[in-house]
Amino acid sequence: MALGNVFIRDVDGNIPSAASSGNEKVTGLLFDVSLQPALFTSGYGLNNRNRLEMNDVIYITSRKSSIKDFGIIERVDVSDEDEENNGNFFHGIPAWHIREFFRMSGNVDGNGKLYVMFADCSVDWDAVEIMQRASGGSINQLGIWTEQPLWKANGGADRYNLDIVKSLNDKAARLAEENQPLSLVLSANPSNTGSLTIEGKQVNLNKIPSAICEASRISVIFGQACSEKVSMMQKRNSNNTPVGFLGAMMGAIAKANVQESVAWVKQFNLFADDFQDIELGFGDINMNGEDEFVSLNRYESLSPVLLDELDDRGYIFPIKYAGKENGIYISKDQTCSAGDFRTLARNRTINKSRRAVRAALLPYVNSPLMVNPATGFLAPSKITAFKTLIGEILNKMKAAQEISGYSVVIDPSQNVLVSDTLVISYFIVPVGVATKIYVEEGLSLTEKQ
């Protein structure tokens, strides 16, 4: 006879799994190397062409794989220009962003889903479409690093003209029409105004134009870590383009659930050994007598009023909060729009629902549609079936707190016998975000309820 005891066993309660499939984590990094004509024709890039060439779309699942399989090595210290070209690949900039992506998406040596491409985008942005097609349409967010100027001088006292943003947004809009929606994050060159003259390398912060141009599928970022490593990468690059923080931004997006803002202080802290201080990375990139940039606008030198203005103009950049030690955060998750789709979170949420609803409906293309023989309109049973089909998808998103609510509308008076077309509408109520929290405080003689 066995001894007495307490016996416990696991029983599967068949609790439904979360709605997330992980596909919304798929990310891309596009490096526009149009201003690096010798990148793959000399030095390290030439010697590494058996592993990586211009216009290749590569799929990276870890930082170590990017080094071992594709030769995107991390920066090493060198003493002269020859050693720089032979010992480093693009000064270590691509490796920096790949490392930052994996660090912020979960673990610097962990796994992820990252597509990378090096292309000449001086004529057009077809590389965005090439990457999305190469991924099978699975890229949900694509970061673009380019040395093309973000803005150009407009003469006199006028503000600069915004560059690149609209054309990239148009590309993303066309992909959405082809059922391959994605969010773009642009890290262009803010350090010159269209020329490499002394004046062109001086950026007047008061002349920075608004990025709000009803381009809801793209966000614009600038700013970078203020560290010796980042400074050296910017100096070694003959164009002195800021390195930026695109990798960290894309890693945060990949880590975030679709409804979450990457500016969420509790969840997304950029702070690391090489990311303890921040700067804009531009201002006056002419060199002084000590071979240092005249001004890269350290964060502490920027007034709160100026930072608010940059935020109001639609830009995203790293910030600090008073009283939060060892903390560097993302200012906002805004897009270049003031409309309904003014945040990355809203775009990612609607894109997820769009992909899931399309996948559910695709098998019904050219399927028979029963009609009410008395009216010729769509049969009530069919209306119920399609509402249930879509409702199940959206209800999973609601259960996962990715949306607050939803509705599915199918007009019962549709004459499908004449149109051969079924029209379905669905609406989702997004999750809100506490961008600002106002608190009133004061003294009182007694407790107040």
Side-chain angles (χ1 to χ4, degrees):
M1 186 175 180
L3 295 173
N5 208 331
V6 177
F7 300 95
I8 302 175
R9 66 187 180 90
D10 294 330
V11 177
D12 191 341
N14 297 313
I15 298 174
S17 61
S20 174
S21 63
N23 289 336
E24 61 268 19
K25 308 295 184 183
V26 181
T27 305
L29 279 177
L30 169 61
F31 292 94
D32 170 23
V33 293
S34 54
L35 295 181
Q36 301 289 332
L39 183 60
F40 288 96
T41 59
S42 66
Y44 183 88
L46 176 62
N47 297 330
N48 188 55
R49 286 184 64 176
N50 62 321
R51 291 188 288 181
L52 178 66
E53 291 198 48
M54 180 88 95
N55 298 322
D56 286 348
V57 179
I58 60 177
Y59 181 54
I60 297 173
T61 56
S62 70
R63 179 187 65 88
K64 292 180 180 178
S65 170
S66 69
I67 298 171
K68 179 181 178 181
D69 299 331
F70 303 105
I72 306 177
I73 57 173
E74 298 192 2
R75 178 171 181 80
V76 296
D77 292 331
V78 293
S79 58
D80 57 39
E81 187 173 340
D82 286 340
E83 287 187 17
E84 177 73 29
N85 293 333
N86 291 317
N88 284 307
F89 177 60
F90 198 178
H91 316 295
I93 295 172
W96 166 262
H97 288 297
I98 291 171
R99 166 182 275 273
E100 286 290 278
F101 168 80
F102 283 103
R103 178 177 73 86
M104 287 304 301
S105 64
N107 188 315
V108 69
D109 287 321
N111 295 323
K113 301 176 181 180
L114 180 65
Y115 287 87
V116 176
M117 182 181 184
F118 297 86
D120 182 342
C121 303
S122 57
V123 176
D124 55 50
W125 294 101
D126 289 350
V128 173
E129 187 173 343
I130 292 171
M131 287 191 73
Q132 183 65 303
R133 296 196 187 286
S135 74
S138 65
I139 295 176
N140 280 260
Q141 48 274 332
L142 176 66
I144 300 167
W145 191 93
T146 177
E147 297 189 273
Q148 297 183 44
L150 177 57
W151 39 60
K152 295 183 178 179
N154 197 23
D158 295 333
R159 286 188 175 177
Y160 306 135
N161 290 326
L162 189 68
D163 198 22
I164 305 176
V165 173
K166 284 293 290 183
S167 57
L168 273 172
N169 189 77
D170 291 344
K171 179 67 71 174
R174 283 194 292 272
L175 284 170
E177 292 172 358
E178 298 171 5
N179 300 302
Q180 301 176 78
L182 79 173
S183 296
L184 300 182
V185 179
L186 174 63
S187 177
N189 185 1
S191 67
N192 71 64
T193 57
S195 68
L196 294 178
T197 62
I198 292 177
E199 293 77 13
K201 293 180 179 181
Q202 297 170 337
V203 174
N204 186 335
L205 300 183
N206 294 316
K207 289 187 177 183
I208 292 177
S210 173
I212 305 297
C213 54
E214 294 315 307
S216 63
R217 299 185 182 277
I218 187 169
S219 299
V220 179
I221 68 172
F222 53 61
Q224 63 187 20
C226 180
S227 69
E228 184 178 349
K229 180 182 291 187
V230 170
S231 177
M232 187 57 67
M233 287 189 283
Q234 186 172 358
K235 286 179 186 176
R236 293 287 187 175
N237 183 355
S238 59
N239 301 315
N240 298 139
T241 303
V243 175
F245 75 112
L246 182 63
M249 179 73 177
M250 302 313 296
I253 295 173
K255 179 182 178 181
N257 293 322
V258 292
Q259 80 281 8
E260 293 176 351
S261 167
V262 292
W264 187 2
V265 172
K266 182 179 179 180
Q267 293 292 92
F268 305 102
N269 187 353
L270 305 183
F271 187 88
D273 289 347
D274 290 316
F275 213 138
Q276 299 190 20
D277 291 298
I278 47 181
E279 62 191 8
L280 293 186
F282 62 90
D284 188 342
I285 61 168
N286 291 291
M287 292 290 184
N288 60 24
E290 300 175 351
D291 289 330
E292 297 289 342
F293 296 117
V294 173
S295 173
L296 294 183
N297 283 309
R298 287 286 294 264
Y299 181 80
E300 288 74 14
S301 71
L302 305 173
S303 71
V305 173
L306 175 60
L307 293 173
D308 282 343
E309 287 180 356
L310 294 176
D311 174 72
D312 289 342
R313 293 174 195 173
Y315 298 100
I316 300 173
F317 43 88
I319 63 171
K320 295 182 179 181
Y321 288 105
K324 289 285 290 183
E325 293 184 12
N326 301 331
I328 295 175
Y329 306 95
I330 299 168
S331 61
K332 203 73 84 57
D333 80 330
Q334 60 189 336
T335 66
C336 296
S337 170
D340 285 350
F341 298 101
R342 60 183 177 270
T343 69
L344 276 162
R346 288 189 179 184
N347 278 275
R348 295 182 71 220
T349 300
I350 198 73
N351 286 348
K352 178 174 182 175
S353 70
R354 181 177 188 167
R355 288 171 181 267
V357 168
R358 179 176 182 269
L361 290 175
L362 201 54
Y364 294 91
V365 173
N366 290 317
S367 67
L369 291 174
M370 296 300 295
V371 299
N372 185 336
T375 64
F377 296 150
L378 192 63
S381 60
K382 279 296 179 183
I383 293 176
T384 300
F386 281 110
K387 279 189 173 182
T388 301
L389 178 69
I390 298 173
E392 287 178 349
I393 293 168
L394 299 180
N395 197 50
K396 287 180 179 179
M397 293 185 68
K398 181 179 178 181
Q401 297 185 346
E402 294 172 337
I403 59 176
S404 298
Y406 67 90
S407 63
V408 182
V409 179
I410 301 177
D411 184 357
S413 63
Q414 294 182 53
N415 195 333
V416 295
L417 293 178
V418 173
S419 65
D420 294 332
T421 301
L422 173 63
V423 178
I424 302 174
S425 300
Y426 76 89
F427 305 89
I428 62 176
V429 181
V431 174
V433 58
T435 300
K436 302 179 182 70
I437 300 176
Y438 289 99
V439 179
E440 294 182 358
E441 62 179 355
L443 301 176
S444 175
L445 292 174
T446 61
E447 291 183 354
K448 292 184 177 181
Q449 298 297 324

